């Protein structure tokens, strides 16, 4: 063949191990030893895994050990599993390696001052040079940003990725605490903390629950703004837009909790016999379930999930529900309750 085979420019190194080689099966049965993360730039004395018994094929470029103890600058003697892999590439080429990988057995760690004035709670993994906090719907990966010794911002997500430049948590539930009882909250933001700028960026996205507004209980309003930015050296929050947003799209809207829009109410009904807000409110009130799965919400709307999805996304964008499309969870918000009651003339509203 004229095609030249790509050589391996990576290797798997296990230091200080003992074992027996079976030449007939091309197999190595090992015991003990150390794997470091030097090949991705992490200091060997700070980040390394101590192995137990393991078995590996001499024909394979993959390696795993089911039980190891990991030491990092964040935690020591963390029990879990390690995987490593040698990759092909041009010799001396700079490869972005997501290996070695480590995943903790324990699902929840509490690491105070994970970085200065930021606490972490959740599962623990390493993918190459990146620390990855892992969680799920029952036990999310949480970041707590402190200010003057008090909790100021909390995030909860399925994942937190940490590099030397930034912390990132996609589609996270976020609460900014204002005083003793009030907050600004959102159920699905892209969270990014840029280390060099010392800046926390909370950004609404373009799909599912991320399109919902920020809910501000202190000023009693929904805030349709793309981004909230907090520089940790300052005491103010900035409302802004992503750099990629065009000038024409840079529009912010603020709605009082007491605002009622008759035209919007009529538009949402369309040709439906039963208004979708009334249908969801009546079901939630009847069964005292304001949080439900999307199948139940579809049933309340007298539709299949597929048929109901566009309506649910529309209601989520307008702040009538919080729609977690990943987990299929719908939460009926106070705005729905207000609109239904306002229509029935059971509450006051301000409408200019």
């Amino acid at each position: 063949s004229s095609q030249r085979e790509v050589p391996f420019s990576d290797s798997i190194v296990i230091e200080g191990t003992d074992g027996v080689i079976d030449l007939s099966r091309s197999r190595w049965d090992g015991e003990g030893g150390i794997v470091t993360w030097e090949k991705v730039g992490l200091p060997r004395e700070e980040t390394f895994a101590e192995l137990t018994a393991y078995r590996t094929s001499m024909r394979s470029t993959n390696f795993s050990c089911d039980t190891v103890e990991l030491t990092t600058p964040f935690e020591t003697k963390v029990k879990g599993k390690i995987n490593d892999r040698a990759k092909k590439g041009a010799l001396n080429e700079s490869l972005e390696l997501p290996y070695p990988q480590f995943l903790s057995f324990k699902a929840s760690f509490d690491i105070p001052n994970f970085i200065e004035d930021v606490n972490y709670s959740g599962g623990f993994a390493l993918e190459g040079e990146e620390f990855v906090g892992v969680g799920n719907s029952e036990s999310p990966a949480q970041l707590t940003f402190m200010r003057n010794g008090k909790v100021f911002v909390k995030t909860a997500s399925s994942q937190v990725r940490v590099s030397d430049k930034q912390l990132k948590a996609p589609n996270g539930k976020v609460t900014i605490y204002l005083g003793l009882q009030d907050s600004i909250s959102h159920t699905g933001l892209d969270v990014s903390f840029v280390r060099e700028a010392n800046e926390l960026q909370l950004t609404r996205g373009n799909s599912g629950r991320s399109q919902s507004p920020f809910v501000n209980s202190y000023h009693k309003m929904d805030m349709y703004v793309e981004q909230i930015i907090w520089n940790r050296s300052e005491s103010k929050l900035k409302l802004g837009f992503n750099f990629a947003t065009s000038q024409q799209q840079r529009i912010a809207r603020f709605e009082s909790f007491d605002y009622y829009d008759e035209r919007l109410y009529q538009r949402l009904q369309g040709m439906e016999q039963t208004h979708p807000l009334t249908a969801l409110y009546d079901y939630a009130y009847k069964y005292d379930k304001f949080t439900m799965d999307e199948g139940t919400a579809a049933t309340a709307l007298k539709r299949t999930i597929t048929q109901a999805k566009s309506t649910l996304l529309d209601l989520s964008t307008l702040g009538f529900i919080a729609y977690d499309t990943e987990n299929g969870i719908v939460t009926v918000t106070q705005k729905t309750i207000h609109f239904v009651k306002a229509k029935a003339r059971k509450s006051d509203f301000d409408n200019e």
Side-chain angles (χ1 to χ4, degrees):
S1 170
S2 61
Q3 189 174 12
R4 200 159 51 90
E5 186 176 340
V6 178
F8 281 92
S9 57
D10 184 20
S11 59
I12 296 171
V13 179
I14 303 169
E15 301 177 13
T17 189
D18 296 311
V20 177
I21 189 167
D22 185 336
L23 293 175
S24 64
R25 293 180 176 145
S26 296
R27 194 174 76 192
W28 169 267
D29 289 314
E31 178 76 38
I34 285 176
V35 172
T36 75
W37 269 254
E38 281 182 284
K39 68 180 180 182
V40 290
L42 300 182
R44 59 179 291 115
E45 66 278 3
E46 288 185 3
T47 305
F48 58 88
E50 299 171 80
L51 309 184
T52 55
Y54 63 92
R55 172 177 287 175
T56 190
S57 168
M58 306 303 287
R59 295 193 183 101
S60 174
T61 57
N62 298 331
F63 164 77
S64 67
C65 182
D66 289 336
T67 304
V68 303
E69 285 189 340
L70 180 75
T71 293
T72 74
F74 311 116
E75 285 281 302
T76 58
K77 302 291 184 184
V78 180
K79 281 186 164 55
K81 178 178 180 176
I82 190 173
N83 290 293
D84 201 355
R85 178 178 294 176
K87 289 187 70 175
K88 285 185 175 182
L91 287 171
N92 302 319
E93 180 183 290
S94 177
L95 295 175
E96 287 189 13
L97 298 172
Y99 292 93
Q101 294 183 349
F102 169 87
L103 180 63
S104 65
F105 295 144
K106 187 176 163 186
S108 185
F109 290 84
D110 292 314
I111 308 177
N113 268 331
F114 175 66
I115 60 174
E116 188 180 0
D117 287 333
V118 181
N119 303 330
Y120 172 75
S121 174
F124 191 102
L126 271 180
E127 292 182 8
E129 66 175 351
E130 252 189 344
F131 169 90
V132 182
V134 289
N136 52 47
S137 54
E138 285 79 33
S139 181
Q142 297 184 59
L143 292 170
T144 303
F145 292 81
M146 310 296 289
R147 180 172 173 266
N148 298 331
K150 296 179 180 177
V151 175
F152 186 50
V153 180
K154 266 191 176 182
T155 78
S157 57
S158 61
Q159 192 179 87
V160 175
R161 304 193 77 89
V162 182
S163 68
D164 56 353
K165 292 182 178 177
Q166 62 184 355
L167 278 66
K168 298 195 84 165
N171 211 18
K173 182 179 179 182
V174 177
T175 304
I176 304 169
Y177 294 92
L178 306 174
L180 295 174
Q181 296 181 328
D182 290 302
S183 65
I184 298 173
S185 61
H186 198 288
T187 56
L189 297 173
D190 287 332
V191 178
S192 178
F193 175 68
V194 183
R195 294 194 188 215
E196 191 176 353
N198 200 24
E199 190 172 84
L200 180 64
Q201 301 168 356
L202 308 171
T203 307
R204 289 169 63 219
N206 297 315
S207 61
R209 59 179 170 169
S210 63
Q211 289 183 295
S212 302
F214 290 95
V215 179
N216 183 337
S217 70
Y218 182 78
H219 296 101
K220 299 192 181 338
M221 64 168 63
D222 290 330
M223 306 194 313
Y224 294 84
V225 64
E226 190 172 357
Q227 198 174 53
I228 292 180
I229 300 162
W230 174 43
N231 187 302
R232 293 205 299 165
S233 62
E234 300 175 355
S235 59
K236 62 187 178 185
L237 297 172
K238 287 189 274 189
L239 309 182
F241 297 92
N242 197 305
F243 286 120
T245 305
S246 69
Q247 202 65 41
Q248 292 80 6
Q249 292 177 307
R250 296 191 175 198
I251 299 170
R253 192 170 86 251
F254 303 89
E255 286 185 3
S256 160
F257 286 171
D258 292 330
Y259 177 76
Y260 173 71
D261 186 338
E262 175 68 21
R263 283 176 298 180
L264 175 58
Y265 188 91
Q266 295 297 341
R267 178 176 77 76
L268 289 171
Q269 178 149 17
M271 303 299 290
E272 299 292 332
Q273 190 172 354
T274 304
H275 198 289
L277 296 183
T278 305
L280 289 171
Y281 171 76
D282 286 350
Y283 185 94
Y285 184 79
K286 181 179 179 180
Y287 295 102
D288 195 25
K289 282 176 64 176
F290 285 83
T291 295
M292 61 193 81
D293 61 62
E294 61 186 357
T296 302
T299 300
L301 295 170
K302 295 184 169 58
R303 297 178 185 177
T304 65
I305 293 176
T306 304
Q307 292 168 338
K309 207 138 197 150
S310 62
T311 299
L312 294 174
L313 287 169
D314 196 15
L315 294 179
S316 175
T317 302
L318 293 166
F320 290 107
I321 62 171
Y323 186 18
D324 180 351
T325 51
E326 277 185 23
N327 298 303
I329 303 297
V330 172
T331 301
V332 177
T333 67
Q334 190 64 37
K335 186 173 181 178
T336 291
I337 299 168
H338 170 67
F339 262 57
V340 171
K341 288 186 175 182
K343 180 63 178 174
R345 299 295 186 265
K346 290 180 179 175
S347 66
D348 295 328
F349 55 87
D350 57 2
N351 184 11
E352 294 181 5

